[in-house]
Amino acid sequence: MQEIKSNIFIKLGIIGVLILILLMPTSFIQKLIDERQDSRIEAVREVSLKQGGSQTITGPYISIPFTRTVAGKKDGEPLRLQKTKEDFLHLMPESLEIQSEVIPEKKYRGLFEVVTYRSISRLKGHFKTEQIEDFIVKNTILEREDAHVNIGISDLKGMQKQIDLNWQGETVSFEPGLSNQNINLTGISAPIKFEEDPNGDFSFDIEIELKGSNELLFTPLGKSTQAMMNSSWPDPKLTGSIVSDRVETSEDGFEANWNVLNVNRNFPQAWKGRSQSVGESAFGAEFIIAVDNYTRSTRVAKYSILFIALTFITFFFVEILRKVFIHPIQYLLVGSALVIFYTLLLAFSEHVTFNVAYLTSAGLTIGMISLYTGAILKSRTVAFLLGALLTLLYAFIFVIIQMESFSLLIGSLAIFLILAIIMFFTRNIDWYELKLGSEKVIEAK
């Protein structure tokens, strides 16, 4: 029994088995984090259903109904009775200017934080009608008196007040629903005066106040589209198929600009029916918490094996250098304290900021392990050194999770440095002759 107790390789095998055992509850903790994150996603969905979800504004565009008459035939002979087929001609703006101010608002559903916003967007520009002539063919009649300006809005629950259209200096109120669903399924429309004029130039000015959550997007319908978005949200994520020309961020918020030409998108200035799709060209910004508490907790949990392994290695070298025996049960208790740290972190982070939760959980864990180590080894020095080591380790992990671009690089270099330090201090140990509790620890050279 004494031989088994003092055999270093048996002890290393036991330590390895204990590490594998302790990794099992850490996987359960990861599932717990995922479950809490799913609950948060459900809370976001519930708030979005009431407040308004992700919003995409598509427009304005003009839809003009037209009829085509086709002479019917019977037995190869033309009939006087003609069939009429109706469809819509859609005209995009010649120029479109978008100015949007987004005011973010944080709401809570139970313990979960949800980001919503209120936006005020102004759309200005003009239409040219010269390309309409290309679509007027024989037996085609444009119903100009039934022309409408349409604006696609993805979630109408977010509308805050009546939206008016300033058309050629005259004000027309938008009505719910689109004049057709060839381009969008939901939105608003307004009847307009659309006189027959080959060189017609029609100006518009629209202000839309809209609530939503997660993201706000615009579709570049103009032959030339210029967009500007500003908000007090400090951490935006610009999204969509169009890259911003300029974005400035600060603690006070951000301002982004887009300049889109018709050659940057995959649809023309005018078409008939449902022949084109415009949604893939939308651009804008996401208003979300980029790294929430659950994401950070997941990042910390990924380093669980590093926490456990380094702590056990420290205990192992304490056994060698101080010629004492630490029972596997004591290893297991210390490892369990390291695992409980993650549940403490997850629980605290749902009530306080992540930084405070991390500091509190790490402080409790370090304090308990240090006191327990001092008690079982009867050494305040070892307890202090282990506490210092854990403090450095927790501080290092905290710094890593704050980084996004360099976390992998810094983490890899740190693990490499730790391995180099262990190799340096153990370079003279004669592992074949070494026995735990033995006076012969290092073979002199």
Side-chain angles (χ1 to χ4, degrees), residues 29-70:
I29 290 172
Q30 182 59 60
K31 291 182 180 179
L32 178 60
I33 295 174
D34 292 339
E35 289 178 2
R36 301 300 292 175
Q37 194 163 29
D38 289 341
S39 298
R40 179 185 177 276
I41 293 173
E42 179 63 22
V44 172
R45 190 187 70 84
E46 289 182 10
V47 172
S48 299
L49 287 175
K50 299 176 182 179
Q51 168 82 19
S54 298
Q55 297 285 14
T56 301
I57 298 178
T58 303
Y61 57 91
I62 297 175
S63 293
I64 312 168
F66 66 89
T67 58
R68 290 181 295 182
T69 57
V70 180

Short mmCIF file of all heavy atoms in Angstrom, two decimals, residues 29-70:
data_model
loop_
_atom_site.label_atom_id
_atom_site.label_comp_id
_atom_site.label_asym_id
_atom_site.label_seq_id
_atom_site.Cartn_x
_atom_site.Cartn_y
_atom_site.Cartn_z
N ILE A 29 -22.76 22.13 -16.92
CA ILE A 29 -22.87 23.58 -16.73
C ILE A 29 -23.04 24.27 -18.07
O ILE A 29 -23.81 25.23 -18.19
CB ILE A 29 -21.63 24.10 -15.97
CG1 ILE A 29 -21.67 23.62 -14.52
CG2 ILE A 29 -21.57 25.63 -16.03
CD1 ILE A 29 -20.42 23.93 -13.75
N GLN A 30 -22.33 23.79 -19.10
CA GLN A 30 -22.49 24.37 -20.43
C GLN A 30 -23.92 24.20 -20.93
O GLN A 30 -24.50 25.11 -21.53
CB GLN A 30 -21.51 23.71 -21.40
CG GLN A 30 -21.56 24.29 -22.81
CD GLN A 30 -21.25 25.77 -22.84
OE1 GLN A 30 -20.17 26.21 -22.44
NE2 GLN A 30 -22.20 26.56 -23.29
N LYS A 31 -24.53 23.04 -20.66
CA LYS A 31 -25.92 22.84 -21.03
C LYS A 31 -26.84 23.78 -20.26
O LYS A 31 -27.83 24.28 -20.80
CB LYS A 31 -26.32 21.38 -20.78
CG LYS A 31 -25.66 20.38 -21.72
CD LYS A 31 -26.14 18.97 -21.43
CE LYS A 31 -25.48 17.97 -22.37
NZ LYS A 31 -25.92 16.58 -22.09
N LEU A 32 -26.50 24.03 -18.99
CA LEU A 32 -27.29 24.95 -18.19
C LEU A 32 -27.21 26.36 -18.76
O LEU A 32 -28.22 27.08 -18.83
CB LEU A 32 -26.79 24.94 -16.74
CG LEU A 32 -27.49 25.90 -15.76
CD1 LEU A 32 -28.97 25.58 -15.66
CD2 LEU A 32 -26.82 25.85 -14.39
N ILE A 33 -26.01 26.76 -19.18
CA ILE A 33 -25.84 28.08 -19.80
C ILE A 33 -26.68 28.17 -21.07
O ILE A 33 -27.35 29.19 -21.33
CB ILE A 33 -24.36 28.36 -20.10
CG1 ILE A 33 -23.55 28.45 -18.81
CG2 ILE A 33 -24.20 29.65 -20.90
CD1 ILE A 33 -22.05 28.57 -19.02
N ASP A 34 -26.66 27.10 -21.87
CA ASP A 34 -27.43 27.10 -23.11
C ASP A 34 -28.92 27.21 -22.83
O ASP A 34 -29.66 27.91 -23.55
CB ASP A 34 -27.15 25.82 -23.90
CG ASP A 34 -25.73 25.77 -24.43
OD1 ASP A 34 -25.11 26.83 -24.54
OD2 ASP A 34 -25.24 24.66 -24.73
N GLU A 35 -29.38 26.53 -21.79
CA GLU A 35 -30.81 26.60 -21.44
C GLU A 35 -31.21 28.01 -21.01
O GLU A 35 -32.27 28.51 -21.41
CB GLU A 35 -31.11 25.61 -20.31
CG GLU A 35 -31.06 24.15 -20.74
CD GLU A 35 -31.31 23.21 -19.58
OE1 GLU A 35 -31.56 23.70 -18.45
OE2 GLU A 35 -31.26 21.98 -19.78
N ARG A 36 -30.36 28.64 -20.22
CA ARG A 36 -30.66 30.01 -19.79
C ARG A 36 -30.62 30.97 -20.97
O ARG A 36 -31.41 31.91 -21.05
CB ARG A 36 -29.66 30.46 -18.71
CG ARG A 36 -29.64 29.60 -17.46
CD ARG A 36 -30.98 29.58 -16.77
NE ARG A 36 -31.32 30.88 -16.19
CZ ARG A 36 -32.47 31.17 -15.63
NH1 ARG A 36 -33.43 30.26 -15.59
NH2 ARG A 36 -32.69 32.36 -15.11
N GLN A 37 -29.71 30.71 -21.90
CA GLN A 37 -29.64 31.56 -23.08
C GLN A 37 -30.87 31.36 -23.96
O GLN A 37 -31.39 32.33 -24.54
CB GLN A 37 -28.37 31.24 -23.88
CG GLN A 37 -28.03 32.27 -24.94
CD GLN A 37 -26.60 32.15 -25.42
OE1 GLN A 37 -26.02 31.07 -25.39
NE2 GLN A 37 -26.02 33.25 -25.86
N ASP A 38 -31.35 30.13 -24.06
CA ASP A 38 -32.59 29.88 -24.80
C ASP A 38 -33.77 30.61 -24.15
O ASP A 38 -34.65 31.14 -24.86
CB ASP A 38 -32.88 28.39 -24.87
CG ASP A 38 -31.91 27.64 -25.77
OD1 ASP A 38 -31.26 28.30 -26.60
OD2 ASP A 38 -31.78 26.41 -25.62
N SER A 39 -33.77 30.66 -22.83
CA SER A 39 -34.83 31.39 -22.13
C SER A 39 -34.76 32.87 -22.45
O SER A 39 -35.79 33.55 -22.60
CB SER A 39 -34.71 31.17 -20.61
OG SER A 39 -34.86 29.81 -20.28
N ARG A 40 -33.55 33.38 -22.56
CA ARG A 40 -33.38 34.79 -22.92
C ARG A 40 -33.88 35.05 -24.34
O ARG A 40 -34.55 36.05 -24.61
CB ARG A 40 -31.92 35.19 -22.80
CG ARG A 40 -31.66 36.65 -23.19
CD ARG A 40 -30.18 36.97 -23.18
NE ARG A 40 -29.97 38.34 -23.63
CZ ARG A 40 -29.90 38.71 -24.90
NH1 ARG A 40 -30.02 37.81 -25.86
NH2 ARG A 40 -29.70 39.98 -25.22
N ILE A 41 -33.57 34.14 -25.26
CA ILE A 41 -34.03 34.29 -26.64
C ILE A 41 -35.56 34.29 -26.69
O ILE A 41 -36.18 35.06 -27.44
CB ILE A 41 -33.46 33.16 -27.53
CG1 ILE A 41 -31.94 33.33 -27.65
CG2 ILE A 41 -34.10 33.16 -28.90
CD1 ILE A 41 -31.26 32.18 -28.36
N GLU A 42 -36.18 33.44 -25.89
CA GLU A 42 -37.63 33.41 -25.83
C GLU A 42 -38.18 34.72 -25.27
O GLU A 42 -39.22 35.22 -25.74
CB GLU A 42 -38.08 32.23 -24.96
CG GLU A 42 -39.58 32.11 -24.81
CD GLU A 42 -40.30 31.85 -26.11
OE1 GLU A 42 -39.66 31.36 -27.07
OE2 GLU A 42 -41.51 32.14 -26.18
N ALA A 43 -37.47 35.29 -24.27
CA ALA A 43 -37.90 36.58 -23.72
C ALA A 43 -37.80 37.68 -24.78
O ALA A 43 -38.70 38.53 -24.89
CB ALA A 43 -37.04 36.94 -22.51
N VAL A 44 -36.73 37.66 -25.58
CA VAL A 44 -36.58 38.63 -26.67
C VAL A 44 -37.72 38.48 -27.67
O VAL A 44 -38.29 39.47 -28.15
CB VAL A 44 -35.22 38.45 -27.37
CG1 VAL A 44 -35.13 39.32 -28.62
CG2 VAL A 44 -34.08 38.81 -26.42
N ARG A 45 -38.07 37.23 -27.98
CA ARG A 45 -39.15 36.99 -28.93
C ARG A 45 -40.48 37.53 -28.40
O ARG A 45 -41.26 38.14 -29.15
CB ARG A 45 -39.26 35.49 -29.21
CG ARG A 45 -40.19 35.13 -30.36
CD ARG A 45 -40.38 33.64 -30.47
NE ARG A 45 -41.16 33.14 -29.35
CZ ARG A 45 -42.48 33.14 -29.30
NH1 ARG A 45 -43.18 33.63 -30.31
NH2 ARG A 45 -43.12 32.65 -28.26
N GLU A 46 -40.74 37.33 -27.12
CA GLU A 46 -42.00 37.81 -26.55
C GLU A 46 -42.07 39.33 -26.57
O GLU A 46 -43.12 39.91 -26.90
CB GLU A 46 -42.13 37.30 -25.11
CG GLU A 46 -42.40 35.80 -25.01
CD GLU A 46 -42.58 35.35 -23.59
OE1 GLU A 46 -42.68 36.23 -22.70
OE2 GLU A 46 -42.62 34.14 -23.34
N VAL A 47 -40.97 39.99 -26.23
CA VAL A 47 -40.95 41.46 -26.27
C VAL A 47 -41.12 41.95 -27.70
O VAL A 47 -41.83 42.93 -27.97
CB VAL A 47 -39.65 41.99 -25.65
CG1 VAL A 47 -39.53 43.50 -25.85
CG2 VAL A 47 -39.60 41.68 -24.16
N SER A 48 -40.48 41.26 -28.66
CA SER A 48 -40.56 41.66 -30.06
C SER A 48 -41.98 41.55 -30.59
O SER A 48 -42.42 42.36 -31.41
CB SER A 48 -39.61 40.81 -30.91
OG SER A 48 -38.27 40.98 -30.51
N LEU A 49 -42.72 40.54 -30.12
CA LEU A 49 -44.09 40.38 -30.57
C LEU A 49 -44.96 41.56 -30.16
O LEU A 49 -45.91 41.93 -30.86
CB LEU A 49 -44.68 39.08 -30.01
CG LEU A 49 -44.17 37.77 -30.63
CD1 LEU A 49 -44.74 36.57 -29.89
CD2 LEU A 49 -44.53 37.71 -32.11
N LYS A 50 -44.64 42.17 -29.02
CA LYS A 50 -45.43 43.30 -28.53
C LYS A 50 -44.87 44.64 -29.03
O LYS A 50 -45.62 45.54 -29.40
CB LYS A 50 -45.46 43.30 -27.01
CG LYS A 50 -46.10 42.04 -26.42
CD LYS A 50 -46.02 42.04 -24.90
CE LYS A 50 -46.62 40.77 -24.31
NZ LYS A 50 -46.52 40.74 -22.83
N GLN A 51 -43.55 44.75 -29.01
CA GLN A 51 -42.90 46.01 -29.33
C GLN A 51 -42.73 46.20 -30.84
O GLN A 51 -42.81 47.30 -31.35
CB GLN A 51 -41.51 46.03 -28.66
CG GLN A 51 -40.58 47.14 -29.11
CD GLN A 51 -40.87 48.43 -28.41
OE1 GLN A 51 -41.51 48.44 -27.37
NE2 GLN A 51 -40.40 49.52 -28.97
N GLY A 52 -42.50 45.11 -31.53
CA GLY A 52 -42.12 45.18 -32.94
C GLY A 52 -40.78 44.49 -33.10
O GLY A 52 -39.86 44.72 -32.31
N GLY A 53 -40.65 43.65 -34.10
CA GLY A 53 -39.42 42.89 -34.29
C GLY A 53 -38.42 43.64 -35.14
O GLY A 53 -38.42 44.87 -35.20
N SER A 54 -37.56 42.89 -35.81
CA SER A 54 -36.60 43.50 -36.73
C SER A 54 -37.36 44.22 -37.85
O SER A 54 -38.28 43.66 -38.44
CB SER A 54 -35.69 42.43 -37.32
OG SER A 54 -34.94 41.80 -36.31
N GLN A 55 -36.96 45.44 -38.12
CA GLN A 55 -37.68 46.26 -39.09
C GLN A 55 -36.86 46.47 -40.36
O GLN A 55 -35.66 46.76 -40.30
CB GLN A 55 -38.02 47.63 -38.49
CG GLN A 55 -38.96 47.58 -37.30
CD GLN A 55 -40.40 47.30 -37.70
OE1 GLN A 55 -40.69 46.89 -38.82
NE2 GLN A 55 -41.33 47.52 -36.78
N THR A 56 -37.52 46.29 -41.50
CA THR A 56 -36.92 46.61 -42.80
C THR A 56 -37.86 47.55 -43.52
O THR A 56 -39.04 47.23 -43.75
CB THR A 56 -36.72 45.33 -43.64
OG1 THR A 56 -35.86 44.43 -42.95
CG2 THR A 56 -36.07 45.69 -44.97
N ILE A 57 -37.34 48.73 -43.88
CA ILE A 57 -38.12 49.73 -44.60
C ILE A 57 -37.72 49.65 -46.08
O ILE A 57 -36.55 49.85 -46.43
CB ILE A 57 -37.87 51.13 -44.05
CG1 ILE A 57 -38.33 51.20 -42.58
CG2 ILE A 57 -38.60 52.18 -44.88
CD1 ILE A 57 -38.08 52.54 -41.92
N THR A 58 -38.70 49.36 -46.92
CA THR A 58 -38.46 49.23 -48.36
C THR A 58 -39.32 50.25 -49.09
O THR A 58 -40.55 50.13 -49.17
CB THR A 58 -38.82 47.82 -48.85
OG1 THR A 58 -38.08 46.85 -48.12
CG2 THR A 58 -38.52 47.66 -50.33
N GLY A 59 -38.68 51.26 -49.60
CA GLY A 59 -39.46 52.26 -50.32
C GLY A 59 -38.88 53.66 -50.17
O GLY A 59 -37.84 53.85 -49.56
N PRO A 60 -39.63 54.59 -50.77
CA PRO A 60 -40.90 54.40 -51.46
C PRO A 60 -40.72 53.95 -52.91
O PRO A 60 -39.65 54.15 -53.49
CB PRO A 60 -41.52 55.79 -51.40
CG PRO A 60 -40.32 56.71 -51.44
CD PRO A 60 -39.24 56.01 -50.68
N TYR A 61 -41.75 53.34 -53.46
CA TYR A 61 -41.78 53.02 -54.88
C TYR A 61 -43.20 53.21 -55.39
O TYR A 61 -44.16 53.13 -54.62
CB TYR A 61 -41.29 51.59 -55.15
CG TYR A 61 -42.04 50.50 -54.42
CD1 TYR A 61 -43.14 49.88 -55.01
CD2 TYR A 61 -41.65 50.08 -53.15
CE1 TYR A 61 -43.83 48.87 -54.35
CE2 TYR A 61 -42.34 49.08 -52.48
CZ TYR A 61 -43.43 48.47 -53.08
OH TYR A 61 -44.11 47.48 -52.43
N ILE A 62 -43.31 53.49 -56.66
CA ILE A 62 -44.63 53.74 -57.27
C ILE A 62 -45.09 52.46 -57.96
O ILE A 62 -44.33 51.81 -58.68
CB ILE A 62 -44.56 54.89 -58.30
CG1 ILE A 62 -44.16 56.20 -57.59
CG2 ILE A 62 -45.89 55.06 -59.01
CD1 ILE A 62 -43.96 57.36 -58.56
N SER A 63 -46.33 52.09 -57.71
CA SER A 63 -46.96 50.96 -58.40
C SER A 63 -48.13 51.49 -59.21
O SER A 63 -49.03 52.15 -58.68
CB SER A 63 -47.45 49.91 -57.40
OG SER A 63 -46.36 49.29 -56.75
N ILE A 64 -48.11 51.20 -60.53
CA ILE A 64 -49.16 51.66 -61.44
C ILE A 64 -49.83 50.44 -62.05
O ILE A 64 -49.16 49.63 -62.72
CB ILE A 64 -48.58 52.54 -62.57
CG1 ILE A 64 -47.62 53.59 -61.99
CG2 ILE A 64 -49.68 53.19 -63.38
CD1 ILE A 64 -46.81 54.30 -63.05
N PRO A 65 -51.11 50.26 -61.82
CA PRO A 65 -51.79 49.12 -62.46
C PRO A 65 -51.91 49.34 -63.97
O PRO A 65 -52.02 50.48 -64.44
CB PRO A 65 -53.15 49.10 -61.78
CG PRO A 65 -53.37 50.49 -61.30
CD PRO A 65 -52.02 51.05 -60.98
N PHE A 66 -51.85 48.28 -64.72
CA PHE A 66 -52.05 48.38 -66.16
C PHE A 66 -52.84 47.16 -66.63
O PHE A 66 -52.88 46.12 -65.98
CB PHE A 66 -50.73 48.51 -66.92
CG PHE A 66 -49.85 47.29 -66.85
CD1 PHE A 66 -49.97 46.27 -67.79
CD2 PHE A 66 -48.90 47.17 -65.85
CE1 PHE A 66 -49.16 45.16 -67.74
CE2 PHE A 66 -48.09 46.06 -65.79
CZ PHE A 66 -48.21 45.04 -66.73
N THR A 67 -53.48 47.33 -67.78
CA THR A 67 -54.26 46.25 -68.38
C THR A 67 -53.71 45.94 -69.76
O THR A 67 -53.24 46.83 -70.48
CB THR A 67 -55.75 46.62 -68.49
OG1 THR A 67 -55.88 47.81 -69.28
CG2 THR A 67 -56.35 46.86 -67.12
N ARG A 68 -53.78 44.67 -70.11
CA ARG A 68 -53.40 44.24 -71.45
C ARG A 68 -54.58 43.49 -72.05
O ARG A 68 -55.15 42.61 -71.42
CB ARG A 68 -52.18 43.32 -71.39
CG ARG A 68 -50.90 44.05 -71.01
CD ARG A 68 -49.72 43.11 -70.98
NE ARG A 68 -49.87 42.10 -69.92
CZ ARG A 68 -48.95 41.19 -69.66
NH1 ARG A 68 -47.83 41.14 -70.37
NH2 ARG A 68 -49.14 40.31 -68.70
N THR A 69 -54.93 43.87 -73.23
CA THR A 69 -56.07 43.23 -73.91
C THR A 69 -55.55 42.27 -74.96
O THR A 69 -54.64 42.59 -75.73
CB THR A 69 -56.97 44.28 -74.56
OG1 THR A 69 -56.19 45.07 -75.46
CG2 THR A 69 -57.60 45.18 -73.51
N VAL A 70 -56.13 41.09 -74.96
CA VAL A 70 -55.72 40.05 -75.89
C VAL A 70 -56.95 39.53 -76.59
O VAL A 70 -57.94 39.16 -75.94
CB VAL A 70 -55.00 38.89 -75.15
CG1 VAL A 70 -54.57 37.82 -76.14
CG2 VAL A 70 -53.81 39.43 -74.37
#
